Amino acid sequence: GQNIDQPTEMTATEGAIVQINCTYQTSGFNGLFWYQQHAGEAPTFLSYNVLDGLEEKGRFSSFLSRSKGYSYLLLKELQMKDSASYLCAVSDSNYQLIWGAGTKLIIKP
Amino acid sequence: ETGVTQTPRHLVMGMTNKKSLKCEQHLGHNAMYWYKQSAKKPLELMFVYNFKEQTENNSVPSRFSPECPNSSHLFLHLHTLQPEDSALYLCASSPLLDGSYEQYFGPGTRLTVT
């Protein structure tokens, strides 16, 4: 079966760095997405990785290792507004998105 | 308006009611999706439309009936729902039905079945 695993909840301190991991087992791979979802709001796109390596976009970076079935989202200089759920999703061989259950990130002052 | 809009934002309905959820996208996209989001569970893809044609129906019960009259509008018709159908229903769109494109989500309809 197809599976996406990510931690249920993480806590970090304002100004610090946090890494949210995602491991996947899917039938085929056509890219991995990270989305941010604030409580009561729509998910919004953060990043897309299809090749191995690190993609940096401001305070957020996303890493992919296809051979390990592994990705992480790195958030630097954490701000209170970064408190949200972070969703990992993989596009499989049919270009259908398989979603993880999301990681709820709590930022403390 | 811009982006993806959904109405209503909140809906409470009894198990014998019939209601419809509406989604509209102003992005010129050709693919539209319905998702169900329950607490602490992955997003569940329900239906996919590509150029107004339904391409996916992921074993969704017949009490959920989608309709896509054109590439900009998507409806989800609900009838004789069960309490376990209470969830956030999200609509999304993407330029093409290709998993390499990001999906743009609407704010969702919070559905409560009593």
Side-chain angles (χ1 to χ4, degrees):
Chain A
Q2 308 204 87
N3 195 49
I4 309 285
D5 282 318
Q6 48 182 135
T8 302
E9 186 173 299
M10 298 181 71
T11 302
T13 305
E14 190 176 15
I17 299 174
V18 72
Q19 177 174 311
I20 302 174
N21 296 325
C22 171
T23 57
Y24 62 89
Q25 290 177 306
T26 56
S27 56
F29 180 84
N30 282 301
L32 185 144
F33 293 83
W34 284 96
Y35 283 79
Q36 180 190 60
Q37 185 177 24
H38 285 100
E41 297 183 13
T44 55
F45 170 80
L46 287 177
S47 66
Y48 172 69
N49 294 67
V50 66
L51 299 176
D52 290 350
L54 187 69
E55 297 271 348
E56 297 187 72
K57 194 185 291 185
R59 294 189 298 113
F60 292 9
S61 303
S62 56
F63 172 83
L64 175 68
S65 169
R66 289 172 296 171
S67 62
K68 295 182 179 178
Y70 167 70
S71 172
Y72 66 73
L73 181 69
L74 191 71
L75 292 74
K76 302 177 184 176
E77 302 169 17
L78 285 170
Q79 302 174 10
M80 297 304 292
K81 67 178 182 179
D82 297 329
S83 292
S85 287
Y86 292 86
L87 312 179
C88 173
V90 171
S91 177
D92 70 6
S93 56
N94 295 319
Y95 291 97
Q96 192 168 120
L97 283 186
I98 311 301
W99 294 83
T103 299
K104 183 178 180 180
L105 177 63
I106 299 168
I107 309 296
K108 295 186 174 179
Chain B
E1 288 203 66
T2 59
V4 182
T5 58
Q6 289 186 245
T7 54
R9 294 294 308 276
H10 301 273
L11 178 63
V12 179
M13 59 186 289
M15 289 190 284
T16 58
N17 291 159
K18 287 185 180 181
K19 296 286 184 183
S20 295
L21 310 185
K22 180 183 176 182
C23 174
E24 185 172 358
Q25 56 98 359
H26 308 268
L27 301 167
H29 290 170
N30 294 303
M32 296 188 76
Y33 313 79
W34 277 118
Y35 286 95
K36 176 183 179 182
Q37 187 175 37
S38 303
K40 300 185 179 179
K41 288 186 178 180
L43 282 173
E44 297 175 45
L45 180 64
M46 300 175 72
F47 301 104
V48 181
Y49 278 82
N50 188 37
F51 290 94
K52 302 188 301 177
E53 298 297 321
Q54 184 175 317
T55 61
E56 289 287 340
N57 175 345
N58 284 356
S59 303
V60 180
S62 59
R63 57 186 184 268
F64 295 92
S65 174
E67 178 189 359
C68 188
N70 54 60
S71 293
S72 299
H73 293 85
L74 188 62
F75 294 89
L76 188 62
H77 304 299
L78 316 171
H79 66 97
T80 59
L81 294 190
Q82 304 298 311
E84 59 265 29
D85 296 323
S86 298
L88 181 67
Y89 288 85
L90 291 164
C91 173
S93 70
S94 61
L96 295 173
L97 188 63
D98 180 331
S100 63
Y101 287 97
E102 68 177 276
Q103 293 182 12
Y104 292 75
F105 286 83
T109 296
R110 174 68 62 185
L111 174 67
T112 303
V113 181
T114 60

